[in-house]
Amino acid sequence: MGLDDDIAILAAAPLFGFLDRDALRLLTFAAERRDLADGDLLFARGDPADGGFVVMAGTIRLEPRLAGAEPVRAGRSALIGQLALFVRGTRPTEARAEGSAAVMRITPMLMRRVLEEFPAAAQAVHDTLADDLADLVTDLDQVRELLEIIDGISSGDSSGDRL
């Protein structure tokens, strides 16, 4: 793949689509690229999460966190480990290549460098993450309300009539 192809793949990835060409070029040149064969382990559950991965080619299979759930398949331009772009933690699941695949690893240090050199990108990332957090809070509020209704039903409270 050439530079233009790599930039186009990054531009299509969540969180990177609003970066300008120079920021994407910096990511392309400075990120670590890794080629994987079928079945190769990208990371295991519990491994240190020291960066995010953008799928450049092929498919990465993410094992389900819960027993009985379906695995998630991440294809070209998918971003795996968004939070790991900013903070270190541990991987919540296992990821393996399905067929041959290629990924680009973006470390928190590289992400910080891009955001420092491109303030408009930093603001866009901030706004996107703030929107995601607001959506999460809204979803959690809805879950709380449902749990309160369920709790009311189980305790004999008439608020269960709202179902």
Side-chain angles (χ1 to χ4, degrees):
M1 269 187 268
L3 176 64
D4 288 336
D5 293 329
D6 287 351
I7 289 173
I9 293 168
L10 281 177
L15 207 65
F16 298 123
F18 49 79
L19 298 180
D20 67 26
R21 187 169 175 78
D22 290 335
L24 293 170
R25 184 173 313 157
L26 173 59
L27 283 173
T28 299
F29 282 124
E32 170 191 328
R33 220 181 138 97
R34 185 169 166 198
D35 293 319
L36 303 163
D38 184 34
D40 281 356
L41 182 68
L42 179 60
F43 54 79
R45 181 175 305 201
D47 280 356
D50 55 354
F53 294 93
V54 175
V55 180
M56 304 302 287
T59 303
I60 302 296
R61 176 188 165 120
L62 300 159
E63 292 302 319
R65 295 181 192 184
L66 303 172
E70 289 293 316
V72 173
R73 288 176 174 78
R76 186 176 176 152
S77 293
L79 174 58
I80 301 170
Q82 176 176 299
L83 186 58
L85 293 171
F86 306 101
V87 295
R88 296 183 190 277
T90 57
R91 301 286 181 194
T93 189
E94 176 181 284
R96 289 189 180 273
E98 277 193 351
S100 61
V103 296
M104 187 177 288
R105 180 173 161 258
I106 301 169
T107 64
M109 182 184 301
L110 175 56
M111 194 66 194
R112 187 171 23 258
R113 179 178 167 201
V114 168
L115 297 178
E116 287 172 356
E117 291 187 28
F118 299 94
Q123 185 62 53
V125 166
H126 175 272
D127 293 346
T128 298
L129 294 176
D131 289 345
D132 289 350
L133 185 57
D135 291 343
L136 176 62
V137 169
T138 299
D139 291 345
L140 289 173
D141 282 341
Q142 291 173 351
V143 169
R144 180 185 45 77
E145 290 171 7
L146 290 172
L147 289 172
E148 287 173 351
I149 291 170
I150 291 169
D151 186 48
I153 292 171
S154 66
S155 66
D157 184 3
S158 64
S159 63
D161 295 339
R162 290 183 284 173
L163 287 176

